[in-house]
Amino acid sequence: MVGKSELVAALEESRRRTLGLLAPVPDDLQRVQVSPLMSPLCWDLAHIGHFEELWLVRELAGAAPSVPRFDDVYDAFRHPRRERPSLDLLDAAGARDYDAAVRTRALEVLDRIDLEGGDPLLTDGFVYGMIVQHEHQHDETLLATLQLMHDFVHPDADGRGAGPNDGSALLARPLDVLVPAATFVMGTEAEPWAYDNERPAHTESVDAFRIDTTAVTNGAYAQFVDSGGYDDRACWSDAGWGWCTEAGLTAPQFWQRAADGGWTRHRFGRDEPLPEDEPVQHVCWYEADAYARWTGSRLPTEAEWELAARGASPATANLWREGPHRFAPSPVTGGCERASECGALGMLGDVWEWTASDFTPYPGFRAFPYREYSEVFYGPEYKVLRGGSWATHPSAVRTTFRNWDFPVRRQIFAGFRCARDA
Ligand SMILES: [Fe+2]
């Protein structure tokens, strides 16, 4: 049972994160669109408040909208991201004020509501968990936008401190582990804040397979690039090759060739040497698939990934927590405290991992509490990503958590690991 004080604390933490991330960004820069793939930062900021008003004030208390036109401006389904800068948006200061006013009302509602009354929206604080996760998910989106601002140096992303496992390399680590054939329960009924797409828990069978103990590193991926993988048709699926040539892909996003022939990367406004032992990020699904083919492997299916992740703990994962950050994945050389039951490291945190699977509903799926969270996205256009990244808050990821995106997307903090038949 989740208490009201825990819900308030979770709401307050997500808001500290949002405001902290944006505090160094001048207000006028928050109104700018840096890429047609992303919203202006101030759109995300007010959308966070609008979504909170919709659920924690209007839905729970039956209140009228405070600003009716926001139902159009801040509804993600009415305006694609490329259109959003032309809308009549609140500026950053206005968005902060709006969010604060909504929060005050939401806490008043929470104060007088009965969480134990049997409403499925309120059971275990579900709708509050949804709002907390939503804000953290948008915070990760804000980070992706900030990363795309080529010339904006985020002062908190200064590389101070090392990843939690830096320097503790286990030299004898096997490259992959065997996961025996299994019939297991996929998805969850037990996680109170799980989304509809993680339900219902159901039985799934997989054949034995091998999966890499770590995500593919920058160093390993650079070998693929340097050996001509982006010019080698044989490495790519038909769709992948079509995209690689159309988009002119030559390396992961934000990589730059250094004068000495090696690589640097651009990260939150700075150039730095490419850290070879960090998981590669900012590769699209097609690039992940091509690398896997190059090594004679494949991407794991979503079921294989979830089975291999069993027992992975968010507590030891490189996820977003309050306090100093590197704004980067950790080196893959972690200790065994980061291992899942099968011995795979870093299944949670560091980078989202592309899987081979399309985003489809589990057998018996029911949309809850609204169709637009998951149901409208099901289909072959989207690939599933698993495990969360360094930018994901622990409340917004589980071994059952499913994320999805188009196979061409690279601005997200996504990498991958390889699998193969046993
Ligand atoms: Fe949203």
Side-chain angles (χ1 to χ4, degrees):
M1 203 171 73
V2 183
K4 289 185 179 180
S5 59
E6 293 164 63
L7 299 177
V8 173
L11 288 164
E12 289 178 343
E13 186 193 347
S14 63
R15 185 56 46 82
R16 279 196 301 278
R17 180 186 180 190
T18 306
L19 297 177
L21 280 174
L22 294 179
V25 187
D27 280 6
D28 55 345
L29 197 53
Q30 296 188 42
R31 183 64 178 78
V32 171
Q33 184 176 46
V34 295
S35 158
L37 298 179
M38 309 305 286
S39 313
L41 293 165
C42 70
W43 184 92
D44 287 278
L45 184 59
H47 164 83
I48 286 168
H50 179 255
F51 194 71
E52 180 168 325
E53 182 182 356
L54 208 53
W55 289 98
L56 300 191
V57 181
R58 292 161 62 179
E59 179 71 24
L60 293 184
S66 61
V67 187
R69 74 175 186 87
F70 288 177
D71 284 353
D72 177 69
V73 174
Y74 295 113
D75 182 333
F77 286 88
R78 300 210 193 169
H79 303 283
R81 287 174 171 175
R82 65 177 178 278
E83 273 179 23
R84 293 176 191 166
S86 62
L87 301 174
D88 183 11
L89 303 181
L90 292 172
D91 62 14
R96 289 192 294 269
D97 290 348
Y98 170 64
D99 286 1
V102 170
R103 176 57 55 84
T104 300
R105 294 176 70 203
L107 294 181
E108 287 165 6
V109 173
L110 173 58
D111 196 41
R112 60 174 193 264
I113 213 158
D114 176 12
L115 294 174
E116 310 304 322
D119 180 345
L121 264 186
L122 294 173
T123 302
D124 292 318
F126 173 84
V127 73
Y128 291 92
M130 184 175 84
I131 295 304
V132 167
Q133 292 180 82
H134 179 257
E135 183 155 354
H136 281 300
Q137 287 168 316
H138 275 275
D139 290 344
E140 185 159 352
T141 303
L142 295 177
L143 280 162
T145 306
L146 291 164
Q147 165 65 16
L148 282 163
M149 290 181 169
H150 188 270
D151 297 323
F152 178 72
V153 178
H154 200 292
D156 296 338
D158 62 359
R160 71 189 155 186
N165 301 290
D166 194 26
S168 60
L170 293 185
L171 297 174
R173 173 167 314 290
L175 295 177
D176 66 5
V177 287
L178 174 70
V179 181
T183 298
F184 72 105
V185 176
M186 186 171 178
T188 181
E189 304 293 336
E191 290 277 357
W193 288 4
Y195 284 111
D196 57 2
N197 64 53
E198 300 168 66
R199 307 167 192 261
H202 61 286
T203 303
E204 192 77 38
S205 294
V206 297
D207 293 334
F209 64 100
R210 303 190 72 87
I211 191 163
D212 288 355
T213 48
T214 70
V216 172
T217 62
N218 286 320
Y221 198 86
Q223 290 179 23
F224 169 63
V225 182
D226 292 338
S227 72
Y230 280 73
D231 298 316
D232 184 353
R233 173 68 183 84
C235 295
W236 299 75
S237 65
D238 291 347
W241 183 248
W243 177 246
C244 177
T245 50
E246 180 189 336
L249 303 184
T250 56
Q253 193 170 13
F254 308 115
W255 283 26
Q256 298 150 327
R257 189 62 87 173
D260 67 359
W263 293 98
T264 62
R265 71 171 174 190
H266 194 75
R267 186 171 66 88
F268 293 100
R270 295 181 174 92
D271 292 323
E272 61 189 13
L274 185 71
E276 295 209 341
D277 57 354
E278 277 183 26
V280 66
Q281 52 178 0
H282 303 300
V283 286
C284 70
W285 186 90
Y286 292 128
E287 291 168 292
D289 177 62
Y291 175 93
R293 289 165 186 253
W294 180 67
T295 62
S297 309
R298 57 178 174 77
L299 297 177
T301 67
E302 194 184 359
E304 288 171 340
W305 192 97
E306 188 166 319
L307 177 60
R310 293 222 300 194
S313 168
T316 53
N318 177 21
L319 294 160
W320 185 279
R321 293 183 177 81
E322 288 196 297
H325 276 276
R326 292 182 62 241
F327 283 45
S330 324
V332 298
T333 50
C336 53
E337 75 283 356
R338 300 185 73 211
S340 65
E341 285 169 15
C342 77
L345 294 173
M347 296 295 287
L348 293 178
D350 294 316
V351 288
W352 288 101
E353 297 183 17
W354 289 109
T355 72
S357 300
D358 296 340
F359 187 47
T360 54
Y362 290 161
F365 168 83
R366 281 189 312 115
F368 178 80
Y370 66 115
R371 282 190 69 239
E372 286 76 14
Y373 185 75
S374 309
E375 190 172 5
V376 299
F377 296 101
Y378 287 139
E381 314 92 87
Y382 293 98
K383 296 295 184 187
V384 172
L385 300 113
R386 291 298 201 107
S389 77
W390 60 267
T392 308
H393 189 267
S395 68
V397 74
R398 299 162 282 280
T399 57
T400 58
F401 190 98
R402 309 171 78 197
N403 188 7
W404 63 93
D405 214 327
F406 293 114
V408 299
R409 287 291 181 261
R410 306 209 291 175
Q411 83 279 13
I412 53 177
F413 304 108
F416 63 102
R417 76 180 68 212
C418 296
R420 50 205 67 82
D421 298 344

